[in-house]
Structure formats: C-alpha cells, structure tokens
Amino acid sequence: MVYSSFEDADLPKVNPNENLETISEYHLLSLFPVEKFQIRAEKDRDKGIDFHIELKKEISCGKLAYTNYHCAIQLKATNTIQQSEDGSYGLQLTTSNINYLLNNPMPAYYIFYHHPTKTFFYENVKNFALQLQNKNPKWHKQQTHKIYFNKRLDKKAVQHIYDETYAHGITLKHINQFINPLENRNNSDRLIIDADFEVYSVAQNIEFIDQFGADLVNKNHFNTVIEVEKRSWPRDTATPRFYLFCGIAYYQRGNLYKALELLNDAKKLSDEFDRQGQAIIEHTILSARYLLDMITKDDFDFQMEKINSLVDAGSFFQIEKANETLSLNRAQPATAIIKYYNSMKKIIENEKSAIVRIVAYNKIMEAESSILLHDLAVNFSFFIGRAEKPFQSRAFIEWQQLERKFLDRLKAIAEYANKCGYHMGSAYLTLVSIKWNYEKAIHIHYLGCWNKRNFDLHQPVNALIVQMFEKLCNSLDQLSQLYQTNDYIENMISSMILKFQIQHFSGKHEEANGTKTKILHAIDEHGFNGLNKEYESIFNMGTAHESFVEKYTKLMNSLQDSASEKGFDPYRMLGEREMNYKTVWSIKDFIELDFSILPAGNDIENQRSGDG
C-alpha cells in the first residue's frame, strides 16, 4: 500500500497546552499510591474540577475497601511562569472558579505543575479563601485573584491530603446522622463538632452530663464537664442534673458567678432531686455566696447548720454534721470522741463509695489531730515549768506512742486514696500532715519554755525545726502549684495560709509578708472577697501559734491562781513521781479503718468515642 504525504494535509493541529496537561496528569497520578487513592478524571463539561479522588482504607481482614470519602482536584500546569524571589509561583484565578470549588462539601485542592522543574505544588482551596477573606472581606466582588504556590506536593503532603479528606469524611458521616434541612428543629438539636471531629447534638451533650456528671464530678474531671457545658449552646432548657453538675464544676474551678447561675437553675427544679441533691445545691450556693462576700460568716454558719441537721441530706453532710457536733463538745473530748466515732462508723458502714470513705477518713484524721494536741497541752499543764526534763515525762512518752499510731493511719489512708485514684484526697492528707508537724512544733517549742506566768517568747525556735519547716514550705509550694493547676483555688489559698503561719512562727517575717501579699493577690484575683474577712484575723495576731500562746497563758494563770487560793505553791518544782502521777487521754482506741471498698472500673471518657 502506498501512503500519501501528510505534510500539507488539512488536519487538527497539536495544542502544546494539551501535551502539557497530559504530561502533568501522568506525573500527578504517580504521586497518589493506588492502595490509598482511586483517582477518577472529570472530562465531561469541565467546570473546574479535573479529578475526584476517593480514599481507600485497609479493613480488619487486610483487604482494601472504598470509603466514599472524596476530595476534588483542579490541576494547573505551565511552562512559562517564572519563580518569584520568595520561591513561589503566582497564578491568576477567577473568583467564580474559587467559589465553584468551595461549594464542594469535601476538601478541594489546587495543584500546580511547573514543567521546567517537573515539580508539583498544592493549596487547599478553603485555606486560600480564608487568606482572601482576612485581607479583604469583600474579596468575592473582585473578578480575579492571584494565588502563590509554595507548598511542595511530596509524599508527606499527599498523606496530609489523605488525612484531611478522611477527617472531613468522618465529620460529614456523623453530621448526616443528625440533620435534615427540611425538618424544623429546636435549639437542643443543634450540633457541636469537637477538636477530634466528633459530632454531638446539644441534646446529646445534656444527656451525657445528666448520665455521667456524678462520676465526672466525684473524680474531679471538672474541666470535662465545663467543656461539654460550653458546647451545649444554644439550648432552650436542660435537665436539673445537668445544671447541678455543671454548677459544681464551675464552682470548683473558681468561676463563682457562672456557678451561681447554673445552680440557681438547678434550684428552680429542686423538686426533682432527693433531699441529698437539694442539700448539695443549697450548700454550694451558700459557699459561692460566702466566697463572693454576699453573705456574712454568721449567716453562712447558720444556714449550713440547718443543712447539716437534715437526717437524709446524704453522707457528705452527715460527715460535716458529725464534725460540727464534735467541735461543739470540746469541753468533754473523751465523751465527744466516742460519740463522734459512733456517728462516723454508721456513715462509713453504709457508704459504698471509696471517695466518700476517703473524705470521711480525712475528716477523722483532722479531728484526731486536734484532740491529740489538745490532750498533750492538758497533760503538760500539771507540771509545765515545774519539771527538769518535761519531754522525758510519762505524758510525753505515751503521747509519742499515740502519735506513731496516728501517723501510720495517715500514711495508710494516703496509700488507699492513691490506690483509688483519688489524688486530690491524697493531696489533702499531705496538707493535714504538714499542719500536724507545724502544730506539734508549736507545742514542743512553747511547752518547753514556760517561765512562771508566761512563755519566754524571745527563745528562738530550734534550728532543726526551722530546717524541717523549710522543707515543709517547699512541699506547700508544690501542693499550691498542684491545686492551682487543677483550679482548686480555695485549697491553694489554704496551703499558702499554712505556709504564712509556718514562716511567721520560724521568725522569717519578711518571707511571711511576701506570702501574705501573694495570698491577698490570689483572693482579689479570683474575687473571693469573703476569704479576706476569714483570714484577716490570722494576719492580725491570729496565727495558730499566737492563738496557742494567748489561750494557754490564760489557762495556766487561771490554774495557778486557783492553786494559790487553795494554799498550794503553783511554782514549786516537782519530783519525778509527782510529775508522772497521772495522764489523761481522750483517745484510747482509734476507730478502725476499712480499705476493702475500691472504685469499680469506669470508662466515662470512652462513652463518647466515635467509630471513625
């Protein structure tokens, strides 16, 4: 067969741009691995999208599956555009094309191929539109815009496109479960998308806090509760338990006005709570109002006494009532502690919550520490200032034996709290332990320097005790930091107050004043105006050691005066037998501690996990 020459035939001419498109498409396809991407070209009636790319995913059996998660690609290629000084390549785009790609519910990308260097660049269309919006809110009224490509399309960028597209696919999947644009929906059905692209309706958030709020609050997950509450807007209404648990969370984080708002909403629906729930609402509202200086200390104490007097107010309030009853019967501590132990036994025996038990044990340790130190001072009153070696006395030796038992119990409760994961309970016991060492040091120091009618206040505190106090202050700093990190502001201030007293007792008045300044700043910063009045007395001659000196001096002078009236010499030195004649201890047997209750396994956090 003879072929004619085609050189002069009238045939379609080759467009160089078409060749360039073919080359760029070929190289582009090689960048997207087939095990992850299915690329489909869009050639019919092209309006701006050159490829739709569907993601593939490996499933449990090891095979690949299609996801129906897509992204859109518009490919631009050039031989002529020169590189700018900053290394980017500028390309003019029409506004209509940008808007067209933005209408895609899945991510869309511009991909630019620079043929001379055989290099690909890319940009997310949404990110480009945001740049335009930040520069000019009316950008859409302009016909064209210039995009500058500077991000290389390499393996890392391709993986980023996969991850971004997959995340959007998961989000849209979850949204589709909730929305129907043609339905009328109320505020509680509105959707929230979290940082992990999980989607929830406001109604679901309210239901979550209603169901799991008690566990979250008991485990001190206050931030979780607050985050969910913030994402539960707008809402027409919510459940009473939602308002209660959110109010408690805001209270614990020091946002008292927000706490009052939510707790007052809970109070309006208080008929739906049992008596314990009602008591919790009243208690937290009272505490917030007191801290904000809305009510006086007397009003607070009066209202709290009414709450604690309710038989069915719940374990926490029964614990508070038992401790208040004990403090009111300090004139007869031996009888009062037996009644106190009996009350606490009944509460603990019926309590299946490990956290409530730890709270009860913490209160017991506080009560015991107060009584043990009281008894030490009482026993010393028989021979203080009249014995050569008071710390070799029978009274002090027996007291040390009681102290060892007390400290062993303190350690055991701390271990139990940590085992239960109740670290704030363990932190509180650390505060109790430091307070014990401070108040013990007060007694040891002053009971050894009584002179006739007064304490010798010029006698310096033992250097070893001062050295111990420096370590305790470091521990209090760490404790304060822990409380501050977890937004337990009241506890943080309590730690600082104890540090102030220790520094003052040690004679480090300049450092104590520095701590005082920090305390006042913290109170002012968080608006806890009620604490100003509460701590004012401590800053004005009312530290624990100053109060001890004042009260014990009055006691001893009264005893001496009474002895003189009866014809006894209150200043005569005593012999060893007289000094060791009798001892009086209010606590003979400590209450038994039961550590058998452990918290059940609970994965609250997993209740909201998605399936993506």
Side-chain angles (χ1 to χ4, degrees), residues 169-320:
I170 287 289
T171 303
L172 287 176
K173 171 187 173 183
H174 291 164
I175 290 175
N176 285 335
Q177 299 174 26
F178 294 97
I179 65 171
N180 184 339
L182 301 180
E183 286 185 359
N184 292 324
R185 305 177 71 86
N186 61 42
N187 286 341
S188 295
D189 293 324
R190 299 192 181 183
L191 301 183
I192 306 296
I193 303 174
D194 69 12
D196 297 320
F197 292 102
E198 294 296 336
V199 181
Y200 310 106
S201 69
V202 170
Q204 275 188 320
N205 286 344
I206 292 171
E207 181 183 357
F208 175 75
I209 294 299
D210 186 280
Q211 185 175 356
F212 299 107
D215 287 331
L216 289 167
V217 166
N218 285 338
K219 292 186 176 181
N220 305 310
H221 297 325
F222 304 119
N223 286 341
T224 301
V225 176
I226 290 171
E227 286 170 10
V228 175
E229 189 279 332
K230 287 180 177 178
R231 295 174 181 178
S232 300
W233 282 97
R235 59 177 179 256
D236 297 314
T237 186
T239 67
R241 287 163 59 86
F242 175 88
Y243 289 130
L244 171 61
F245 299 135
C246 291
I248 291 173
Y250 276 106
Y251 173 84
Q252 292 294 341
R253 287 295 177 260
N255 192 338
L256 301 183
Y257 287 107
K258 182 66 175 179
L260 282 176
E261 174 191 331
L262 290 160
L263 290 167
N264 282 322
D265 285 336
K267 187 176 180 180
K268 293 173 186 176
L269 305 168
S270 61
D271 288 345
E272 299 190 32
F273 292 99
D274 59 17
R275 195 65 201 100
Q276 180 176 358
Q278 294 173 8
I280 291 172
I281 294 171
E282 293 288 351
H283 172 270
T284 315
I285 289 175
L286 269 176
S287 298
R289 294 183 67 200
Y290 172 67
L291 289 172
L292 291 169
D293 202 23
M294 294 180 176
I295 57 174
T296 66
K297 184 67 164 62
D298 289 341
D299 289 337
F300 175 78
D301 291 340
F302 175 73
Q303 294 297 330
M304 280 303 303
E305 187 177 344
K306 288 173 62 177
I307 295 174
N308 292 336
S309 65
L310 298 172
V311 177
D312 55 350
S315 297
F316 285 111
F317 297 100
Q318 291 175 37
I319 292 168
E320 290 296 332

Side-chain angles (χ1 to χ4, degrees), residues 363-476:
K363 291 293 185 179
I364 289 171
M365 297 308 293
E366 275 192 289
E368 289 176 349
S369 68
S370 180
I371 288 177
L372 288 173
L373 292 166
H374 167 271
D375 284 358
L376 175 65
V378 168
N379 280 289
F380 261 63
S381 66
F382 293 118
F383 57 82
I384 186 173
R386 300 195 291 160
E388 292 290 340
K389 298 178 180 179
F391 297 111
Q392 293 181 11
S393 64
R394 171 186 169 186
F396 190 68
I397 292 171
E398 289 179 353
W399 184 83
Q400 285 181 309
Q401 293 170 351
L402 292 170
E403 181 195 26
R404 278 193 290 271
K405 291 180 181 179
F406 170 80
L407 294 177
D408 286 344
R409 289 155 57 78
L410 194 66
K411 181 180 178 182
I413 298 170
E415 291 174 352
Y416 176 53
N418 285 325
K419 188 175 182 180
C420 294
Y422 186 36
H423 302 301
M424 287 299 108
S426 179
Y428 186 78
L429 285 166
T430 300
L431 197 63
V432 172
S433 176
I434 294 174
K435 186 169 181 262
W436 168 266
N437 280 288
Y438 161 57
E439 294 186 341
K440 173 188 173 182
I442 293 173
H443 286 70
I444 299 301
H445 175 68
Y446 287 120
L447 295 178
C449 62
W450 179 260
N451 183 17
K452 296 290 186 182
R453 299 281 291 181
N454 297 289
F455 291 110
D456 183 1
L457 299 180
H458 296 291
Q459 185 169 322
V461 178
N462 185 283
L464 291 177
I465 292 179
V466 173
Q467 190 175 358
M468 176 195 70
F469 279 157
E470 289 177 358
K471 294 180 180 179
L472 293 182
C473 285
N474 289 333
S475 296
L476 285 171

